[in-house]
């Protein structure tokens, strides 16, 4: 997606060889017009995949996912990050480790918002190690539903997430794929 890549080159800052800061349009400031255009791309790619619902993970995945859900006219669900286990039978939960943040959280989905007939598109802002996406997949599959695709705004292709999801056979579509980061270096593949 060329306009996204241009924004990354203009406004993104590589903080290290692994972390890209895009606070001006995705993670802090949010460019709603760009989010709308991102929704157009996800709709175009996934429109014939029989998707029934779109899931995301709080919080930066919400903006691009709202725009996609609106354009695909599908229900959206935000998976919550709880700090501890909920001890009743009303939710599915799985522990996710964030390598970037060095902490764990309980990814949580109320049983009300999924059924075995669902075919779910998962959208997130970044794909790094794939831990968040794999957590979402575990919840969906535990509910007996299908993962219809994984839509990513910015993929860091040099980290393991993409390869892991490909190897497991999921249909991953990333709008910008970064091959290399470094001081003053942002390269796409
Ligand atoms: P993973 O799910 O692919 O394994 O990624 P990881 O745990 O390493 O990422 C943890 C958090 O850091 C996620 O946000 C992810 O979006 C974000 N992240 C990972 N790499 C980058 C990066 O290079 N730049 C930026 N800006 N963010 C990155 P989160 O904890 O879910 O927070 P939120 O922003 O969605 O609230």
């Amino acid at each position: 997606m060329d306009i996204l890549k241009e924004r990354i080159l203009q406004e993104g800052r590589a903080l290290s060889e692994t972390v890209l800061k895009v606070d001006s349009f995705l993670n802090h400031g949010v460019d709603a017009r760009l989010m709308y255009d991102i929704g157009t791309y996800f709709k175009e790619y996934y429109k014939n995949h029989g998707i029934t619902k779109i899931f995301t993970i709080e919080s930066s995945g919400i903006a691009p996912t709202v725009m996609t859900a609106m354009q695909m006219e599908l229900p959206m669900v935000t998976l919550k990050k709880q700090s501890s286990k909920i001890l009743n039978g009303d939710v599915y939960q799985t522990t996710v480790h964030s390598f970037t943040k060095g902490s764990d959280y309980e990814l949580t989905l109320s049983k009300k918002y999924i059924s075995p007939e669902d075919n779910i598109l998962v959208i997130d802002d970044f794909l790094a190690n794939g831990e968040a996406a794999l957590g979402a997949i575990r919840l969906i599959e535990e509910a007996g539903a299908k993962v219809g695709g994984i839509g990513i705004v910015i993929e860091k292709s040099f980290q393991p997430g993409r390869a892991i999801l490909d190897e497991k056979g999921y249909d991953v579509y990333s709008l910008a794929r970064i091959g290399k980061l470094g001081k003053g270096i942002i390269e796409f593949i």
Side-chain angles (χ1 to χ4, degrees), residues 77-138:
V77 177
T78 304
L79 301 177
K80 301 205 176 238
K81 293 173 184 163
Q82 309 277 5
S83 54
S84 58
K85 289 222 182 280
I86 295 172
L87 298 173
N88 64 43
D90 300 338
V91 298
Y92 297 108
Q93 276 192 317
T94 187
T95 307
V96 173
H97 177 71
S98 166
F99 288 101
T100 305
K101 300 203 166 161
S103 57
D104 288 356
Y105 57 86
E106 297 297 323
L107 195 63
T108 304
L109 165 65
S110 166
K111 291 184 176 174
K112 277 194 289 203
Y113 298 119
I114 191 163
S115 72
E117 293 75 41
D118 277 324
N119 181 32
I120 293 179
L121 169 61
V122 178
I123 291 180
D124 208 359
D125 57 335
F126 269 92
L127 176 61
N129 294 287
E131 292 295 316
L134 288 166
I137 289 167
R138 285 196 295 278

Side-chain angles (χ1 to χ4, degrees), residues 148-164:
I150 315 277
I152 299 292
V153 179
I154 302 176
E155 170 190 313
K156 292 184 291 179
S157 312
F158 54 88
Q159 292 183 302
R162 174 63 187 239
I164 293 169

Side-chain angles (χ1 to χ4, degrees), residues 8 13 28 31 56 65 80 93 107 116 120 170 178:
I8 293 170
R13 272 197 310 125
H28 197 21
D31 181 336
T56 192
T65 308
K80 301 205 176 238
Q93 276 192 317
L107 195 63
I120 293 179
Y170 296 106
I178 295 179

Side-chain angles (χ1 to χ4, degrees), residues 18-38:
T18 53
V19 177
L20 174 68
K21 207 162 169 74
V22 283
D23 270 6
S24 62
F25 60 89
L26 183 59
N27 292 130
H28 197 21
V30 176
D31 181 336
R33 174 73 233 183
L34 181 65
M35 296 304 123
Y36 184 86
D37 292 340
I38 284 169

